[in-house]
């Protein structure tokens, strides 16, 4: 009796399993047939508009700023510093006094030389008067004339030595840090400070020899510095070296950048871009372009259909690439989901970078 019941249970289980399999199999076939009847599912993609933009062909380089003119201020004479007229960072006008040295002896020398000159002039005047009455010979007049000239020269030397006791700015600029204090003794080897003309700064940089035939004086350059991340400084090339370094195969170029607000100091590291020419071209995001062998292609959104199109590439800049042939300004190109596309694939646009709209469901974008 137990054997009969066991066999019956096995049979019932087999019938139930067969029924479940039949239901699953027929259901799967029905789903596949339904999907086939509906056609392939639309692929979710993102698109962006091709844009006509200004394209620059340029060379990049690095360099450091230097003042238009720069000197170390050194006294022309020796002595003790009695006055200092400047502070670090102060704008100094040309010929303005920077410091004075003790000048008591030099002032006395000037007075003595002035007295000697006056004495020589009076002696010459008397000799000339007496010469008219033949009391004094012409030789005496000539001797006294030479003495007056000597006295004039001695006075000029005394005045120059006195003037050298005051150090003046040779040109307008910005004073550097003081390197000596009031009361210290200085000589013609003592650097008092530096003076930089920062009304404009110069940047010297190197370019590869392949650019030698294209670089000309007057070409625009654009410079950036980490100290001013949101600012671009414009300038122009002012000089080109006549030699190419045989080791680096590069040549030196010097550019000038206006600096009326004095924000750029000497010695600042800068990255530069030398603009060779500008033109207008059709640009698309780099991720829209696929490379295959020696050619390139992209997909254009034609309504709800993706169309593959062969294109020719131009210059790349800032995450975009130029399409020199095969695309028009304003066409919608697919930038995401391209890996799953074929020519003629049905698509569903979930984001348009041009219009800034996105669907709530963006699942399935490749």
């Amino acid at each position: 009796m137990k054997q009969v019941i066991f066999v019956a249970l096995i049979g019932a289980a087999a019938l139930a399993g067969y029924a479940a399999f039949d239901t699953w199999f027929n259901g799967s076939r029905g789903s596949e047939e339904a999907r086939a009847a509906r056609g392939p599912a639309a692929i979710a993609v993102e698109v962006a508009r091709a844009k006509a933009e200004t394209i620059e062909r340029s060379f990049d380089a690095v360099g450091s700023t230097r003042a238009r003119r720069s000197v170390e201020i050194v006294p022309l004479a020796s002595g003790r510093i009695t006055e200092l007229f400047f502070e670090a960072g102060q704008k100094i006008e040309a010929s303005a006094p920077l410091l004075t040295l003790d000048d008591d002896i030099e002032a006395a020398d000037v007075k003595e030389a002035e007295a000697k000159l006056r004495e020589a002039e009076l002696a010459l005047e008397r000799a000339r008067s007496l010469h008219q009455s033949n009391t004094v010979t012409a030789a005496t007049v000539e001797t006294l004339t030479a003495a007056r000239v000597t006295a004039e020269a001695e006075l000029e030397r005394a005045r120059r030595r006195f003037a050298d006791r005051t150090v003046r700015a040779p040109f307008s600029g910005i004073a550097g840090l003081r390197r000596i204090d009031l009361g210290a003794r200085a000589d013609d080897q003592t650097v008092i400070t530096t003076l930089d003309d920062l009304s404009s700064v110069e940047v010297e940089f190197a370019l590869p020899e392949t650019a030698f035939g294209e670089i000309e004086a007057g070409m625009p350059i654009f410079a950036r510095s980490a100290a001013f991340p949101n600012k671009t400084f414009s300038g122009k090339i002012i000089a080109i070296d006549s030699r190419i370094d045989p080791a680096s195969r590069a040549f030196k170029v010097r550019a000038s950048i206006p600096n009326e607000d004095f924000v750029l100091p000497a010695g600042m590291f800068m990255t530069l871009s030398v603009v060779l020419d500008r033109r207008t071209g059709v640009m698309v995001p780099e991720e829209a372009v696929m490379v295959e062998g020696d050619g390139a292609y992209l997909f254009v959104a034609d309504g709800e259909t993706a169309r593959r199109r062969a294109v020719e590439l131009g210059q790349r800049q800032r995450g975009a690439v130029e399409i020199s042939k095969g695309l028009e300004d304003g066409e919608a190109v697919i930038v995401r989901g391209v890996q799953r596309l074929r020519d003629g694939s049905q698509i569903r646009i979930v984001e348009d970078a041009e219009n800034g709209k996105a669907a709530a469901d963006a699942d399935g974008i490749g």
Side-chain angles (χ1 to χ4, degrees), residues 18-34:
Y18 175 78
F21 173 77
D22 183 63
T23 300
W24 172 82
F25 180 77
N26 290 331
S28 298
R29 287 190 60 189
S31 298
E32 291 176 358
E33 291 173 357

mmCIF file with all atom_site columns, all heavy atoms in Angstrom, residues 18-34:
data_model
loop_
_atom_site.group_PDB
_atom_site.id
_atom_site.type_symbol
_atom_site.label_atom_id
_atom_site.label_alt_id
_atom_site.label_comp_id
_atom_site.label_asym_id
_atom_site.label_entity_id
_atom_site.label_seq_id
_atom_site.pdbx_PDB_ins_code
_atom_site.Cartn_x
_atom_site.Cartn_y
_atom_site.Cartn_z
_atom_site.occupancy
_atom_site.B_iso_or_equiv
_atom_site.pdbx_formal_charge
_atom_site.auth_seq_id
_atom_site.auth_comp_id
_atom_site.auth_asym_id
_atom_site.auth_atom_id
_atom_site.pdbx_PDB_model_num
ATOM 1   N N   . TYR A 1 18 ? 5.744  19.405 -15.531 1.00 0.00 ? 18 TYR A N   1
ATOM 2   C CA  . TYR A 1 18 ? 5.519  19.547 -16.967 1.00 0.00 ? 18 TYR A CA  1
ATOM 3   C C   . TYR A 1 18 ? 4.614  20.730 -17.261 1.00 0.00 ? 18 TYR A C   1
ATOM 4   O O   . TYR A 1 18 ? 4.848  21.507 -18.194 1.00 0.00 ? 18 TYR A O   1
ATOM 5   C CB  . TYR A 1 18 ? 4.911  18.253 -17.526 1.00 0.00 ? 18 TYR A CB  1
ATOM 6   C CG  . TYR A 1 18 ? 4.544  18.363 -18.992 1.00 0.00 ? 18 TYR A CG  1
ATOM 7   C CD1 . TYR A 1 18 ? 5.522  18.272 -19.981 1.00 0.00 ? 18 TYR A CD1 1
ATOM 8   C CD2 . TYR A 1 18 ? 3.210  18.598 -19.378 1.00 0.00 ? 18 TYR A CD2 1
ATOM 9   C CE1 . TYR A 1 18 ? 5.188  18.390 -21.321 1.00 0.00 ? 18 TYR A CE1 1
ATOM 10  C CE2 . TYR A 1 18 ? 2.880  18.727 -20.710 1.00 0.00 ? 18 TYR A CE2 1
ATOM 11  C CZ  . TYR A 1 18 ? 3.865  18.618 -21.693 1.00 0.00 ? 18 TYR A CZ  1
ATOM 12  O OH  . TYR A 1 18 ? 3.531  18.741 -23.008 1.00 0.00 ? 18 TYR A OH  1
ATOM 13  N N   . ALA A 1 19 ? 3.600  20.908 -16.440 1.00 0.00 ? 19 ALA A N   1
ATOM 14  C CA  . ALA A 1 19 ? 2.674  22.029 -16.655 1.00 0.00 ? 19 ALA A CA  1
ATOM 15  C C   . ALA A 1 19 ? 3.388  23.367 -16.490 1.00 0.00 ? 19 ALA A C   1
ATOM 16  O O   . ALA A 1 19 ? 3.172  24.325 -17.254 1.00 0.00 ? 19 ALA A O   1
ATOM 17  C CB  . ALA A 1 19 ? 1.498  21.921 -15.677 1.00 0.00 ? 19 ALA A CB  1
ATOM 18  N N   . ALA A 1 20 ? 4.256  23.458 -15.483 1.00 0.00 ? 20 ALA A N   1
ATOM 19  C CA  . ALA A 1 20 ? 4.987  24.704 -15.260 1.00 0.00 ? 20 ALA A CA  1
ATOM 20  C C   . ALA A 1 20 ? 5.928  25.009 -16.415 1.00 0.00 ? 20 ALA A C   1
ATOM 21  O O   . ALA A 1 20 ? 6.054  26.155 -16.866 1.00 0.00 ? 20 ALA A O   1
ATOM 22  C CB  . ALA A 1 20 ? 5.767  24.610 -13.947 1.00 0.00 ? 20 ALA A CB  1
ATOM 23  N N   . PHE A 1 21 ? 6.621  23.988 -16.903 1.00 0.00 ? 21 PHE A N   1
ATOM 24  C CA  . PHE A 1 21 ? 7.534  24.189 -18.026 1.00 0.00 ? 21 PHE A CA  1
ATOM 25  C C   . PHE A 1 21 ? 6.793  24.633 -19.275 1.00 0.00 ? 21 PHE A C   1
ATOM 26  O O   . PHE A 1 21 ? 7.227  25.532 -19.996 1.00 0.00 ? 21 PHE A O   1
ATOM 27  C CB  . PHE A 1 21 ? 8.298  22.882 -18.292 1.00 0.00 ? 21 PHE A CB  1
ATOM 28  C CG  . PHE A 1 21 ? 9.150  22.936 -19.537 1.00 0.00 ? 21 PHE A CG  1
ATOM 29  C CD1 . PHE A 1 21 ? 10.366 23.608 -19.523 1.00 0.00 ? 21 PHE A CD1 1
ATOM 30  C CD2 . PHE A 1 21 ? 8.715  22.367 -20.727 1.00 0.00 ? 21 PHE A CD2 1
ATOM 31  C CE1 . PHE A 1 21 ? 11.147 23.664 -20.668 1.00 0.00 ? 21 PHE A CE1 1
ATOM 32  C CE2 . PHE A 1 21 ? 9.484  22.442 -21.869 1.00 0.00 ? 21 PHE A CE2 1
ATOM 33  C CZ  . PHE A 1 21 ? 10.703 23.080 -21.847 1.00 0.00 ? 21 PHE A CZ  1
ATOM 34  N N   . ASP A 1 22 ? 5.623  23.994 -19.505 1.00 0.00 ? 22 ASP A N   1
ATOM 35  C CA  . ASP A 1 22 ? 4.850  24.360 -20.697 1.00 0.00 ? 22 ASP A CA  1
ATOM 36  C C   . ASP A 1 22 ? 4.385  25.803 -20.622 1.00 0.00 ? 22 ASP A C   1
ATOM 37  O O   . ASP A 1 22 ? 4.429  26.550 -21.611 1.00 0.00 ? 22 ASP A O   1
ATOM 38  C CB  . ASP A 1 22 ? 3.651  23.408 -20.824 1.00 0.00 ? 22 ASP A CB  1
ATOM 39  C CG  . ASP A 1 22 ? 2.835  23.673 -22.094 1.00 0.00 ? 22 ASP A CG  1
ATOM 40  O OD1 . ASP A 1 22 ? 3.393  23.502 -23.194 1.00 0.00 ? 22 ASP A OD1 1
ATOM 41  O OD2 . ASP A 1 22 ? 1.673  24.129 -21.962 1.00 0.00 ? 22 ASP A OD2 1
ATOM 42  N N   . THR A 1 23 ? 3.981  26.211 -19.432 1.00 0.00 ? 23 THR A N   1
ATOM 43  C CA  . THR A 1 23 ? 3.520  27.600 -19.273 1.00 0.00 ? 23 THR A CA  1
ATOM 44  C C   . THR A 1 23 ? 4.663  28.586 -19.513 1.00 0.00 ? 23 THR A C   1
ATOM 45  O O   . THR A 1 23 ? 4.522  29.604 -20.197 1.00 0.00 ? 23 THR A O   1
ATOM 46  C CB  . THR A 1 23 ? 2.962  27.804 -17.855 1.00 0.00 ? 23 THR A CB  1
ATOM 47  O OG1 . THR A 1 23 ? 1.867  26.898 -17.668 1.00 0.00 ? 23 THR A OG1 1
ATOM 48  C CG2 . THR A 1 23 ? 2.496  29.245 -17.648 1.00 0.00 ? 23 THR A CG2 1
ATOM 49  N N   . TRP A 1 24 ? 5.834  28.293 -18.933 1.00 0.00 ? 24 TRP A N   1
ATOM 50  C CA  . TRP A 1 24 ? 7.006  29.199 -19.099 1.00 0.00 ? 24 TRP A CA  1
ATOM 51  C C   . TRP A 1 24 ? 7.444  29.260 -20.550 1.00 0.00 ? 24 TRP A C   1
ATOM 52  O O   . TRP A 1 24 ? 7.708  30.324 -21.098 1.00 0.00 ? 24 TRP A O   1
ATOM 53  C CB  . TRP A 1 24 ? 8.146  28.677 -18.233 1.00 0.00 ? 24 TRP A CB  1
ATOM 54  C CG  . TRP A 1 24 ? 9.440  29.421 -18.486 1.00 0.00 ? 24 TRP A CG  1
ATOM 55  C CD1 . TRP A 1 24 ? 9.827  30.603 -17.986 1.00 0.00 ? 24 TRP A CD1 1
ATOM 56  C CD2 . TRP A 1 24 ? 10.484 28.980 -19.365 1.00 0.00 ? 24 TRP A CD2 1
ATOM 57  N NE1 . TRP A 1 24 ? 11.043 30.974 -18.462 1.00 0.00 ? 24 TRP A NE1 1
ATOM 58  C CE2 . TRP A 1 24 ? 11.485 29.993 -19.331 1.00 0.00 ? 24 TRP A CE2 1
ATOM 59  C CE3 . TRP A 1 24 ? 10.685 27.856 -20.161 1.00 0.00 ? 24 TRP A CE3 1
ATOM 60  C CZ2 . TRP A 1 24 ? 12.657 29.890 -20.060 1.00 0.00 ? 24 TRP A CZ2 1
ATOM 61  C CZ3 . TRP A 1 24 ? 11.848 27.765 -20.879 1.00 0.00 ? 24 TRP A CZ3 1
ATOM 62  C CH2 . TRP A 1 24 ? 12.839 28.767 -20.848 1.00 0.00 ? 24 TRP A CH2 1
ATOM 63  N N   . PHE A 1 25 ? 7.508  28.103 -21.207 1.00 0.00 ? 25 PHE A N   1
ATOM 64  C CA  . PHE A 1 25 ? 7.989  28.046 -22.587 1.00 0.00 ? 25 PHE A CA  1
ATOM 65  C C   . PHE A 1 25 ? 7.062  28.800 -23.525 1.00 0.00 ? 25 PHE A C   1
ATOM 66  O O   . PHE A 1 25 ? 7.497  29.632 -24.337 1.00 0.00 ? 25 PHE A O   1
ATOM 67  C CB  . PHE A 1 25 ? 8.119  26.578 -23.027 1.00 0.00 ? 25 PHE A CB  1
ATOM 68  C CG  . PHE A 1 25 ? 8.619  26.427 -24.437 1.00 0.00 ? 25 PHE A CG  1
ATOM 69  C CD1 . PHE A 1 25 ? 9.964  26.607 -24.733 1.00 0.00 ? 25 PHE A CD1 1
ATOM 70  C CD2 . PHE A 1 25 ? 7.738  26.120 -25.473 1.00 0.00 ? 25 PHE A CD2 1
ATOM 71  C CE1 . PHE A 1 25 ? 10.409 26.471 -26.035 1.00 0.00 ? 25 PHE A CE1 1
ATOM 72  C CE2 . PHE A 1 25 ? 8.196  25.994 -26.765 1.00 0.00 ? 25 PHE A CE2 1
ATOM 73  C CZ  . PHE A 1 25 ? 9.530  26.168 -27.054 1.00 0.00 ? 25 PHE A CZ  1
ATOM 74  N N   . ASN A 1 26 ? 5.779  28.539 -23.382 1.00 0.00 ? 26 ASN A N   1
ATOM 75  C CA  . ASN A 1 26 ? 4.818  29.227 -24.271 1.00 0.00 ? 26 ASN A CA  1
ATOM 76  C C   . ASN A 1 26 ? 4.766  30.719 -23.982 1.00 0.00 ? 26 ASN A C   1
ATOM 77  O O   . ASN A 1 26 ? 4.632  31.545 -24.892 1.00 0.00 ? 26 ASN A O   1
ATOM 78  C CB  . ASN A 1 26 ? 3.426  28.622 -24.105 1.00 0.00 ? 26 ASN A CB  1
ATOM 79  C CG  . ASN A 1 26 ? 3.358  27.206 -24.686 1.00 0.00 ? 26 ASN A CG  1
ATOM 80  O OD1 . ASN A 1 26 ? 4.096  26.897 -25.626 1.00 0.00 ? 26 ASN A OD1 1
ATOM 81  N ND2 . ASN A 1 26 ? 2.503  26.347 -24.130 1.00 0.00 ? 26 ASN A ND2 1
ATOM 82  N N   . GLY A 1 27 ? 4.945  31.085 -22.695 1.00 0.00 ? 27 GLY A N   1
ATOM 83  C CA  . GLY A 1 27 ? 4.943  32.503 -22.349 1.00 0.00 ? 27 GLY A CA  1
ATOM 84  C C   . GLY A 1 27 ? 6.150  33.221 -22.921 1.00 0.00 ? 27 GLY A C   1
ATOM 85  O O   . GLY A 1 27 ? 6.049  34.339 -23.412 1.00 0.00 ? 27 GLY A O   1
ATOM 86  N N   . SER A 1 28 ? 7.333  32.589 -22.856 1.00 0.00 ? 28 SER A N   1
ATOM 87  C CA  . SER A 1 28 ? 8.550  33.193 -23.397 1.00 0.00 ? 28 SER A CA  1
ATOM 88  C C   . SER A 1 28 ? 8.439  33.361 -24.891 1.00 0.00 ? 28 SER A C   1
ATOM 89  O O   . SER A 1 28 ? 8.816  34.398 -25.449 1.00 0.00 ? 28 SER A O   1
ATOM 90  C CB  . SER A 1 28 ? 9.762  32.317 -23.058 1.00 0.00 ? 28 SER A CB  1
ATOM 91  O OG  . SER A 1 28 ? 9.914  32.239 -21.651 1.00 0.00 ? 28 SER A OG  1
ATOM 92  N N   . ARG A 1 29 ? 7.922  32.356 -25.554 1.00 0.00 ? 29 ARG A N   1
ATOM 93  C CA  . ARG A 1 29 ? 7.758  32.467 -27.005 1.00 0.00 ? 29 ARG A CA  1
ATOM 94  C C   . ARG A 1 29 ? 6.798  33.586 -27.349 1.00 0.00 ? 29 ARG A C   1
ATOM 95  O O   . ARG A 1 29 ? 7.010  34.354 -28.287 1.00 0.00 ? 29 ARG A O   1
ATOM 96  C CB  . ARG A 1 29 ? 7.242  31.151 -27.581 1.00 0.00 ? 29 ARG A CB  1
ATOM 97  C CG  . ARG A 1 29 ? 8.282  30.044 -27.606 1.00 0.00 ? 29 ARG A CG  1
ATOM 98  C CD  . ARG A 1 29 ? 7.797  28.858 -28.388 1.00 0.00 ? 29 ARG A CD  1
ATOM 99  N NE  . ARG A 1 29 ? 7.502  29.251 -29.769 1.00 0.00 ? 29 ARG A NE  1
ATOM 100 C CZ  . ARG A 1 29 ? 6.890  28.452 -30.653 1.00 0.00 ? 29 ARG A CZ  1
ATOM 101 N NH1 . ARG A 1 29 ? 6.480  27.257 -30.278 1.00 0.00 ? 29 ARG A NH1 1
ATOM 102 N NH2 . ARG A 1 29 ? 6.678  28.868 -31.883 1.00 0.00 ? 29 ARG A NH2 1
ATOM 103 N N   . GLY A 1 30 ? 5.766  33.715 -26.510 1.00 0.00 ? 30 GLY A N   1
ATOM 104 C CA  . GLY A 1 30 ? 4.801  34.781 -26.781 1.00 0.00 ? 30 GLY A CA  1
ATOM 105 C C   . GLY A 1 30 ? 5.420  36.157 -26.598 1.00 0.00 ? 30 GLY A C   1
ATOM 106 O O   . GLY A 1 30 ? 5.168  37.069 -27.387 1.00 0.00 ? 30 GLY A O   1
ATOM 107 N N   . SER A 1 31 ? 6.291  36.320 -25.564 1.00 0.00 ? 31 SER A N   1
ATOM 108 C CA  . SER A 1 31 ? 6.939  37.610 -25.334 1.00 0.00 ? 31 SER A CA  1
ATOM 109 C C   . SER A 1 31 ? 7.885  37.957 -26.470 1.00 0.00 ? 31 SER A C   1
ATOM 110 O O   . SER A 1 31 ? 7.946  39.090 -26.944 1.00 0.00 ? 31 SER A O   1
ATOM 111 C CB  . SER A 1 31 ? 7.699  37.594 -24.011 1.00 0.00 ? 31 SER A CB  1
ATOM 112 O OG  . SER A 1 31 ? 6.804  37.378 -22.942 1.00 0.00 ? 31 SER A OG  1
ATOM 113 N N   . GLU A 1 32 ? 8.672  36.935 -26.896 1.00 0.00 ? 32 GLU A N   1
ATOM 114 C CA  . GLU A 1 32 ? 9.609  37.184 -27.993 1.00 0.00 ? 32 GLU A CA  1
ATOM 115 C C   . GLU A 1 32 ? 8.872  37.542 -29.274 1.00 0.00 ? 32 GLU A C   1
ATOM 116 O O   . GLU A 1 32 ? 9.270  38.441 -30.019 1.00 0.00 ? 32 GLU A O   1
ATOM 117 C CB  . GLU A 1 32 ? 10.482 35.944 -28.220 1.00 0.00 ? 32 GLU A CB  1
ATOM 118 C CG  . GLU A 1 32 ? 11.456 35.693 -27.078 1.00 0.00 ? 32 GLU A CG  1
ATOM 119 C CD  . GLU A 1 32 ? 12.239 34.407 -27.294 1.00 0.00 ? 32 GLU A CD  1
ATOM 120 O OE1 . GLU A 1 32 ? 11.966 33.730 -28.306 1.00 0.00 ? 32 GLU A OE1 1
ATOM 121 O OE2 . GLU A 1 32 ? 13.100 34.087 -26.453 1.00 0.00 ? 32 GLU A OE2 1
ATOM 122 N N   . GLU A 1 33 ? 7.765  36.837 -29.516 1.00 0.00 ? 33 GLU A N   1
ATOM 123 C CA  . GLU A 1 33 ? 6.984  37.138 -30.723 1.00 0.00 ? 33 GLU A CA  1
ATOM 124 C C   . GLU A 1 33 ? 6.385  38.541 -30.640 1.00 0.00 ? 33 GLU A C   1
ATOM 125 O O   . GLU A 1 33 ? 6.341  39.271 -31.628 1.00 0.00 ? 33 GLU A O   1
ATOM 126 C CB  . GLU A 1 33 ? 5.881  36.086 -30.893 1.00 0.00 ? 33 GLU A CB  1
ATOM 127 C CG  . GLU A 1 33 ? 6.429  34.705 -31.266 1.00 0.00 ? 33 GLU A CG  1
ATOM 128 C CD  . GLU A 1 33 ? 5.337  33.645 -31.253 1.00 0.00 ? 33 GLU A CD  1
ATOM 129 O OE1 . GLU A 1 33 ? 4.188  34.014 -30.888 1.00 0.00 ? 33 GLU A OE1 1
ATOM 130 O OE2 . GLU A 1 33 ? 5.633  32.487 -31.584 1.00 0.00 ? 33 GLU A OE2 1
ATOM 131 N N   . ALA A 1 34 ? 5.989  38.932 -29.415 1.00 0.00 ? 34 ALA A N   1
ATOM 132 C CA  . ALA A 1 34 ? 5.406  40.278 -29.256 1.00 0.00 ? 34 ALA A CA  1
ATOM 133 C C   . ALA A 1 34 ? 6.467  41.344 -29.484 1.00 0.00 ? 34 ALA A C   1
ATOM 134 O O   . ALA A 1 34 ? 6.219  42.354 -30.142 1.00 0.00 ? 34 ALA A O   1
ATOM 135 C CB  . ALA A 1 34 ? 4.791  40.418 -27.860 1.00 0.00 ? 34 ALA A CB  1
#
